[in-house]
Amino acid sequence: MLSTQNVTQKLIISNSDYIHVVQFDEIIFCQSDGCYTHINLHNGQKHTLAKSLSKICTQLSSNQFIRISQTYLINKAFVNKIDRKKKNLYLLDRIIIPFTISLKNLMELISDSIHPKINLTDADNG
């Protein structure tokens, strides 16, 4: 019997020439562009699908990916920094993506991937 925990989840991306098999772990973020979605991978590749971001959201793991705006779906494993004032996320320290959801909601959505939870602002005040 196969354990579902050991099975790598994959997204099938088909275009006129090739069928790409992409592991969820390779996807940094997805960006909506009308009826198209751009899938940005860790290795720098970018694939465009003729599907809406909403449809892509249903295919990707809700535990790993979060919708941070109407335009962006991110892999929370790649979040390095959050700019509270400018409402930007930094992915891999080089990709800046704006978010429109509340900071509280954002922190709740990514908090299960941050261990241990340490609030440095409390320590800095002492």
Side-chain angles (χ1 to χ4, degrees):
M1 182 165 77
L2 288 174
S3 169
T4 56
Q5 292 176 340
N6 294 332
V7 176
T8 304
Q9 295 176 310
K10 298 176 183 175
L11 179 68
I12 305 299
I13 301 173
S14 179
N15 63 30
S16 59
D17 297 323
Y18 297 99
I19 296 172
H20 299 275
V21 180
V22 177
Q23 294 182 14
F24 284 8
D25 292 345
E26 296 175 18
I27 301 170
I28 299 174
F29 70 95
C30 303
Q31 180 180 7
S32 173
D33 185 11
C35 294
Y36 297 94
T37 299
H38 304 292
I39 310 287
N40 294 270
L41 305 181
H42 187 263
N43 64 7
Q45 290 182 355
K46 184 187 231 183
H47 297 283
T48 301
L49 294 172
K51 286 186 179 182
S52 69
L53 187 57
S54 296
K55 289 185 180 180
I56 297 298
C57 283
T58 61
Q59 291 182 276
L60 297 175
S61 166
S62 61
N63 293 335
Q64 190 171 355
F65 294 89
I66 54 174
R67 185 94 181 244
I68 60 166
S69 69
Q70 189 173 0
T71 308
Y72 291 100
L73 175 75
I74 62 144
N75 183 336
K76 61 187 177 180
F78 291 107
V79 174
N80 283 23
K81 184 169 50 174
I82 301 169
D83 185 330
R84 295 178 189 197
K85 292 180 182 176
K86 293 182 182 178
K87 292 195 81 167
N88 285 326
L89 282 176
Y90 290 78
L91 307 177
L92 299 175
D93 278 341
R94 61 181 163 84
I95 301 168
I96 302 170
I97 298 188
F99 64 91
T100 58
I101 62 174
S102 73
L103 183 61
K104 180 181 178 184
N105 192 16
L106 177 63
M107 292 307 296
E108 288 172 358
L109 291 169
I110 66 170
S111 66
D112 64 348
S113 63
I114 301 172
H115 295 288
K117 292 182 189 176
I118 300 173
N119 188 344
L120 295 177
T121 55
D122 289 344
D124 291 342
N125 292 333

